[in-house]
Amino acid sequence: MKKEFHIFLTAIMFFTRIPCPKWVDHNPEYLSKSAKYFSLVGIIVGSIGALIFYGFSFILSTEIALLLSIVATIYTTGAFHEDGFADVCDGLGGGWTKEKILLIMKDSRLGTYGVTGLILILAIKFLALRDVSLHLIPITIISGHSLSRFIATTLIYTHPYVRDTEDSKAKPAAKSITTSMLLLSGLFGIAPLFFFNTPLIFLTIIPCYFAKVYLGAKFKKWLGGQTGDCAGAVQQLSEVVFYLSVIALWKFI
């Protein structure tokens, strides 16, 4: 139990800026197993965003409360996944070989494709959440963060890690995942969906997974697999797809 708690705290430390005890470090053994708690971390990050929205919605407009919620989740993760999404946009947009794409994705500078991608995906995220029924916004935020992280975990499960440099900080977490780890991530990933009180909400998993299949096919074609940035891109895209799916689904309920 103590070891599992250590692995969980390693996931918290790696995927967020939430302070952890000093004895928690980037131990490769624990980091390689931390992906199974990826979705649970999503519940925590989403809960922070939901709490910020709920609190500020009493004194500010829905739009401002939503913006502050998005800012809070980005700050909590240190823009970890947004950075991955932007890197993938730059890499696939500007590279024509595996080596060139990986080189661009590793570059700390942000290019036109990355900036454009970030602006668009954040804008869609905000506008989509604004269109969700007011009483559903908090649980939608939590579910979006947990489910999208589970979808990203499936990419790690189905696609091999392709970056061959040993200095990649994300390598232990993105290199591989076992079936049991995937199932645990899935349990945490779908758990918040039960709070919608309608079994139809589970239909949203389908388009989210299709988003992963779409990006996964591109990663397979151009890279032969995935990197940590690729998982971040899948998380961001599937999160937005979930919000859009909730809006579409509620038109038929």
Side-chain angles (χ1 to χ4, degrees), residues 52-234:
I52 292 294
F53 169 78
Y54 183 76
F56 280 105
S57 64
F58 287 103
I59 56 177
L60 301 171
S61 67
T62 299
E63 289 77 10
I64 295 178
L66 277 174
L67 282 174
L68 291 175
S69 171
I70 294 173
V71 169
T73 58
I74 292 176
Y75 179 79
T76 300
T77 61
F80 190 72
H81 311 299
E82 287 80 6
D83 178 66
F85 177 80
D87 285 343
V88 166
C89 288
D90 278 335
L92 295 183
W96 293 99
T97 65
K98 174 183 175 179
E99 292 72 22
K100 182 64 174 178
I101 293 172
L102 290 175
L103 182 63
I104 293 174
M105 288 168 60
K106 195 171 180 61
D107 193 332
S108 60
R109 294 169 295 181
L110 198 58
T112 302
Y113 290 106
V115 171
T116 304
L118 272 179
I119 291 173
L120 290 176
I121 202 163
L122 290 174
I124 296 172
K125 188 180 299 188
F126 167 73
L127 293 173
L129 284 170
R130 191 186 64 173
D131 279 0
V132 172
S133 298
L134 187 61
H135 70 286
L136 290 176
I137 290 179
I139 190 58
T140 300
I141 293 173
I142 296 172
S143 299
H145 279 273
S146 65
L147 180 60
S148 63
R149 281 163 173 79
F150 167 57
I151 299 297
T153 305
T154 67
L155 181 77
I156 302 173
Y157 183 78
T158 59
H159 289 61
Y161 188 82
V162 295
R163 195 179 287 280
D164 56 5
T165 55
E166 295 297 326
D167 60 343
S168 175
K169 192 172 74 170
K171 182 176 181 178
K175 190 173 182 180
S176 64
I177 185 171
T178 65
T179 302
S180 61
M181 291 166 64
L182 180 70
L183 291 175
L184 182 60
S185 178
L187 179 63
F188 289 126
I190 68 173
L193 297 180
F194 287 94
F195 289 91
F196 281 90
N197 294 320
T198 172
L200 293 178
I201 192 64
F202 291 95
L203 292 175
T204 58
I205 299 174
I206 299 173
C208 289
Y209 192 75
F210 279 158
K212 173 257 179 176
V213 171
Y214 170 74
L215 283 183
K218 284 188 171 293
F219 300 150
K220 188 70 174 179
K221 175 182 178 181
W222 292 102
L223 301 177
Q226 55 85 23
T227 69
D229 286 333
C230 296
V234 168

